């Protein structure tokens, strides 16, 4: 496997992906701490544990491609290249936030980075993502829309309607099911009948597969396969990621629905640690090189924190702006 | 750097230190788990904010009721001054007025319980206990389920998780999985299913985790639940209660903060209820469950923890369509429901300072509306202020002011003023959120205006 990957990515590129994963992890840890300190309010859904999914997909993305996801969106917007300080300032509800403090954790967008949110209503992003794909096809652009959807959301009706439309109209969209095994406190086998979730798309003629979403390399390979499939066949594709969130659903989750053992077992499979080990073993990257990257990210996160706390609250007249164009 | 006891939920005020997973002198990396903290809801893990050495453990494991934000350990971070701390030190200007705003919200809820406890007992000597609105709703459901085998409960996380807001806590244990059902996140589907079951004679209580998600199912609610009786010439009724938190909670932004009073009271065939306190919540929910029509029962997350004296008898009912005058006066009438009642009460002292005594009407039911109670009061006071959290454009409050002017025209000594939520999606930032909802200043200035006090 290592060989195959090394054909496609230089060590420098691979280190870049690791850096992104590490950035997301440290960013989310900091967000959790700032929530604990009362600096972030409302709902705050952390992405810790699922970093390999978004980074693996990133390895297949063209900068013009579009992305849309749910409320668990911090990692996704960081992966799209938005400066973390604007993301953190959104979490603290400040003027310099990416949505000027008006959207918060669940509602972040960046047109410049082709990131279309940040949607709080379960399932809503899926037809929206199909609509992005519709626009790409309509304009004859060689772009792919990537839509992330949770395991819980996979039982929401509009998701099925979206699969049907995407296939019926041959739209360039990749559905990425982030099956982290729970939708809030409901294990996937208590919310979804049938076998694998991706089969809910395949019945509509969308080809797809299920893979290990805890491994960057596996995700990356599947993402590239999917991209090629979409280019060659002008048809949608679906990948179900077997993944896991280490933290609670939102910050105030009693987490009584799963055992500590289960969480610890999944932690032994940490996507960051496994990528780091592979980089050293299979790609002969020196540990120093990696720890240097880690140190600079940690330093960056301190600056991000400071920025997000020093940025002022939005001006009061912001309340009434941007309701209409 | 001091490591502080974090708030792991917006309501957490203290926690217990169950276990330290590190020792003094130990090297840790940022993100490493340092300790297990127990809150009112759960046990959680505390992670290290930075790389460093645990210099000192201040609070021993096993200590209980540690206030949030108090130091529990000291982390020595390389290159950092002894007493600097990245989290606690960066206290900047802009957060200063955060405190004011949340105090404001707090005080609006605190002033409540005494008023509702003083309310005249509804015609009987009830055995009363002081409980939260959350418990009152839970009791109402449990009692009705006990009394009537046809009543069942369905919704997201209502069973094994004990309810996203703990309203349905313990009901699965009590009634089993046949009658308390966790649904997938398929609002359109399970709402339609519940309506079908109601058509067949069952009495579903359909919980929306919040009413924002009822929009996924609004076609079923309006086109199937509300209209069936009429379309069938009286053949098919739909005895169902749709319930859950409505309106703006705290800082959950545009897609999760909106009031559905105006939406649902627009629809013929629906009953709409919005209690402001635990006592009413119990009596009204029981009446709603027994009612043969579809009822939209709008709760408020920020009121779940508020307490009042609530009768424990299972025949305690509050009739639908009956308002409650919670403060009697003669100078003006102020009308609210659900959370807006608390906003009104929070300015009552200032209103009294102006030498004014208001009638304050808590509507409780939006549809049917207790018009008699409202008109009686207006004919006495001749002046009206209406407070609603929802958007003011084509709103319930607008309709109410139309009703008052057409029924009490000759009695009015002033224009009617309506204080509504601003015509914007709910922003996330704390200062903007507070401004988006009716503020104390706006209510007070409306009161002054209708009484010519400015
Ligand atoms: C239509 C709708 N119903 C309910 C909710 C409340 N809710 C928010 S997240 C969530 C669970 C979603 O789980 P999943 O799709 O697996 O995503 P994950 O949180 O695991 O990323 C629920 C029920 C919502 N936001 N929207
Ligand atoms: Mg999930």
């Amino acid at each position: 496997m290592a060989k195959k990957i090394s054909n496609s990515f230089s060590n420098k590129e691979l280190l870049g992906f690791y850096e992104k994963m590490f950035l997301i992890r440290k960013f989310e840890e900091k967000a959790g701490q700032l929530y604990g300190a009362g600096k972030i309010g409302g709902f705050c859904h952390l992405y810790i544990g699922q970093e390999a999914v978004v980074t693996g997909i990133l390895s297949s993305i063209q900068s013009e491609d579009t992305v849309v996801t749910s409320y668990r969106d911090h990692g996704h917007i960081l992966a799209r290249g938005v400066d973390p300080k604007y993301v953190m300032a959104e979490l603290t509800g400040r003027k310099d936030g990416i949505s000027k403090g008006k959207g918060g954790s669940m509602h972040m967008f960046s047109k410049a980075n082709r990131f279309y949110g940040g949607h709080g209503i379960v399932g809503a992003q899926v037809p929206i993502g199909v609509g992005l794909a519709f626009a790409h096809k309509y304009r004859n652009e060689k772009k792919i829309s990537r839509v992330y959807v949770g395991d819980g959301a996979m039982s929401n009706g509009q998701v099925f309607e979206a699969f049907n439309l995407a296939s019926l109209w041959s739209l360039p969209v990749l559905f990425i099911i982030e099956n982290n095994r729970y939708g809030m406190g409901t294990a996937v086998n208590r919310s979804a009948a049938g076998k694998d979730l991706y089969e809910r798309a395949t019945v509509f003629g969308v080809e797809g597969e299920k893979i290990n979403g805890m491994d960057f390399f596996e995700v990356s390979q599947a993402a590239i396969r999917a991209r090629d499939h979409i280019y060659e066949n002008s048809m949608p594709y679906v990948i179900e990621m077997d993944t896991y969130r280490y933290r609670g659903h939102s910050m105030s989750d009693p987490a009584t629905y799963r055992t500590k053992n289960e969480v610890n077992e999944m932690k032994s499979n940490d996507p960051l640690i496994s990528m780091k080990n592979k980089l050293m073993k299979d790609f002969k990257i020196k540990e120093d090189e990696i720890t240097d990257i880690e140190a600079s990210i940690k330093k960056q996160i301190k600056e991000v924190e400071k920025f997000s706390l020093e940025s002022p609250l939005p001006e009061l007249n912001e309340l009434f702006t941007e309701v209409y164009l | 750097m001091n490591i502080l006891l974090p708030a792991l939920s917006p309501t957490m005020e203290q926690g217990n230190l169950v276990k330290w997973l590190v020792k003094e002198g130990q090297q840790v990396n940022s993100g490493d788990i340092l300790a297990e903290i127990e809150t009112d809801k759960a046990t959680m893990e505390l992670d290290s904010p930075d790389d460093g050495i645990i210099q000192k453990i201040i609070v021993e494991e096993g200590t209980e009721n540690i206030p949030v934000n108090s130091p529990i350990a000291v982390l020595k971070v390389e290159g950092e001054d002894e007493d600097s701390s990245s989290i606690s030190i960066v206290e900047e200007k802009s957060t200063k007025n955060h405190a004011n705003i949340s105090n404001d919200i707090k005080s609006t809820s605190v002033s409540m319980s005494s008023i509702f406890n003083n309310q005249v007992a509804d015609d009987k000597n009830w055995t009363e206990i002081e409980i939260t609105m959350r418990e009152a709703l839970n009791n109402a459901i449990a009692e009705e389920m006990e009394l009537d085998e046809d009543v069942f409960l369905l919704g997201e996380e209502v069973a094994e998780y004990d309810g996203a807001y703990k309203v349905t806590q313990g009901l699965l244990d009590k009634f089993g999985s046949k009658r308390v059902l966790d649904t997938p996140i398929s609002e359109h589907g399970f709402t339609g299913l519940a309506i079908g079951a109601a058509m067949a004679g069952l009495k579903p209580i359909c919980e929306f985790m919040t009413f924002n998600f009822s929009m996924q199912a609004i076609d079923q609610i309006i086109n199937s639940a509300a209209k069936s009786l009429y379309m069938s010439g009286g053949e098919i009724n739909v005895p169902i209660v749709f319930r859950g938190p409505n309106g703006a909670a705290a800082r959950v932004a545009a897609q999760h903060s909106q009031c559905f009073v105006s939406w649902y009271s627009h629809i013929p065939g629906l009953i709409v209820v919005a209690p402001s306190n635990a006592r009413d919540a119990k009596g009204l929910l029981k009446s709603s469950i027994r009612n043969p029509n579809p009822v939209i029962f709008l709760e408020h997350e920020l009121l779940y923890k508020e307490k009042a004296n609530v009768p424990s008898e299972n025949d305690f009912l509050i009739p639908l369509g009956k308002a409650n005058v919670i403060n009697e006066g003669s100078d003006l009438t102020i009308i609210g429901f659900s959370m807006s009642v608390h906003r009104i009460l929070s300015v009552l002292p200032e209103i009294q300072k102006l030498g004014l005594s208001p009638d304050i009407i808590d509507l409780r039911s939006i549809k049917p509306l207790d018009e008699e109670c409202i008109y009686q009061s207006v004919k006495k006071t001749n002046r009206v202020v209406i407070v609603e959290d929802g958007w003011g454009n084509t709103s319930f409050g607008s309709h109410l002011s139309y009703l008052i002017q057409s029924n009490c025209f000759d009695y009015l000594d002033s224009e009617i003023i309506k204080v509504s939520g601003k015509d914007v999606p709910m922003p996330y930032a704390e200062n903007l959120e507070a401004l988006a909802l009716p503020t104390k200043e706006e209510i007070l200035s409306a009161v002054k205006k209708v009484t010519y006090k400015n």
Side-chain angles (χ1 to χ4, degrees), chain B residues 333 374-382 407-408 411:
Chain B
T333 302
I374 298 165
Y375 303 154
Q376 218 172 32
S377 167
V378 175
K379 286 175 183 173
K380 174 178 65 174
T381 65
N382 319 114
N407 287 283
C408 308
Y411 293 88

Side-chain angles (χ1 to χ4, degrees), chain A residues 263-281:
Chain A
V263 180
N264 286 339
E265 207 169 288
M266 293 308 296
K267 278 189 181 167
S268 66
N269 208 3
D270 190 312
L272 272 82
I273 297 173
S274 81
M275 181 167 188
K276 185 172 173 172
N277 287 340
K278 278 187 189 146
L279 291 181
M280 293 190 299
K281 232 178 95 214

Side-chain angles (χ1 to χ4, degrees), chain A residues 28 77 80 83 92 114 144 156 161 187 196 200 219 235 241 247 250 252 277 281 283 289 294 304-305 318:
Chain A
E28 292 290 65
I77 194 165
R80 282 264 72 182
D83 189 325
T92 53
R114 313 294 186 292
I144 293 175
N156 187 269
E161 297 181 26
D196 289 325
R200 294 175 171 212
V219 176
M235 278 296 279
M241 304 284 180
R247 298 296 181 90
S250 178
S252 50
N277 287 340
K281 232 178 95 214
F283 298 91
E289 246 181 292
E294 293 176 346
V304 164
E305 174 189 11
E318 278 289 326

Side-chain angles (χ1 to χ4, degrees), chain A residues 30 33-34 37 39 301-303 305-306 309, chain B residues 1-4 49-50 75 77 80-81 83-92:
Chain A
K30 184 51 75 186
Q33 290 152 13
L34 289 176
K39 304 293 180 194
I301 290 294
K302 284 189 182 161
E303 288 153 15
E305 174 189 11
K306 191 160 180 285
L309 293 174
Chain B
M1 166 193 295
N2 279 338
I3 294 175
L4 310 178
D50 212 329
L75 180 71
V77 178
E80 194 184 61
D81 297 343
D83 51 5
S84 76
S85 140
S86 73
I87 288 186
S88 57
I89 207 171
V90 200
E91 265 306 341
E92 60 317 331

